[in-house]
Amino acid sequence: MQPIQLFELASSQSHWLTVRQSVVAGNIANANTPGYASRDVAPFEAVLEQTKAPVRMAATHPGHIHEDPMRGAVRAGSFGDVDVQPSGNSVNLPEEMTKTGEIKRQYELNTGMVKAFHRMMLLTVRR
């Protein structure tokens, strides 16, 4: 019997969604900043493939900051067509607002799936 990895996968996706939401929020906050290049995060599937067997730097002191593998997926420039404004800014507000809606839906799907799986496991244990 294989171990159930659903909770670990859901946790990884939740973390990815958090990183993506902070990147999108940064894009929206800098919508009027001249020369700002919009950023986005690589798709979850690509990030998941890279972090299956992560190689981490060793922390030899408790004060060391640990590297976050999800933050490495943030890239300058969006993954779609980008229109650069005369000020050099490439943030497209309607596209960024659409991304926030997608992130919200994905997070709700993720938490709904975890709740349903948790209920199913509880029912199995109780019987």
Side-chain angles (χ1 to χ4, degrees):
M1 184 171 175
Q2 296 292 328
I4 299 171
Q5 304 294 330
L6 179 73
F7 292 118
E8 182 180 341
L9 181 63
S11 177
S12 295
Q13 186 184 30
S14 180
H15 182 66
W16 177 81
L17 289 168
T18 301
V19 170
R20 187 163 190 227
Q21 181 63 35
S22 68
V23 169
V24 170
N27 287 344
I28 293 170
N30 288 294
N32 292 325
T33 304
Y36 182 81
S38 66
R39 302 182 316 168
D40 202 350
V41 180
F44 180 65
E45 295 81 17
V47 174
L48 189 62
E49 286 297 321
Q50 293 174 356
T51 59
K52 278 188 178 176
V55 177
R56 303 219 167 131
M57 296 188 306
T60 57
H61 187 273
H64 287 171
I65 298 173
H66 298 284
E67 182 182 1
D68 184 357
M70 296 286 182
R71 290 277 176 194
V74 177
R75 298 193 178 118
S78 114
F79 290 92
D81 294 331
V82 179
D83 295 328
V84 178
Q85 299 172 4
S87 66
N89 189 314
S90 64
V91 176
N92 182 351
L93 280 177
E95 181 181 321
E96 299 301 320
M97 297 307 289
T98 301
K99 288 178 188 177
T100 60
E102 290 173 7
I103 293 167
K104 179 180 182 280
R105 283 189 299 277
Q106 289 175 347
Y107 183 76
E108 288 172 348
L109 179 65
N110 185 341
T111 55
M113 182 179 61
V114 168
K115 285 179 185 177
F117 192 71
H118 183 258
R119 279 193 307 267
M120 183 178 68
M121 288 182 64
L122 286 177
L123 285 173
T124 304
V125 171
R126 289 180 185 163
R127 291 183 183 198

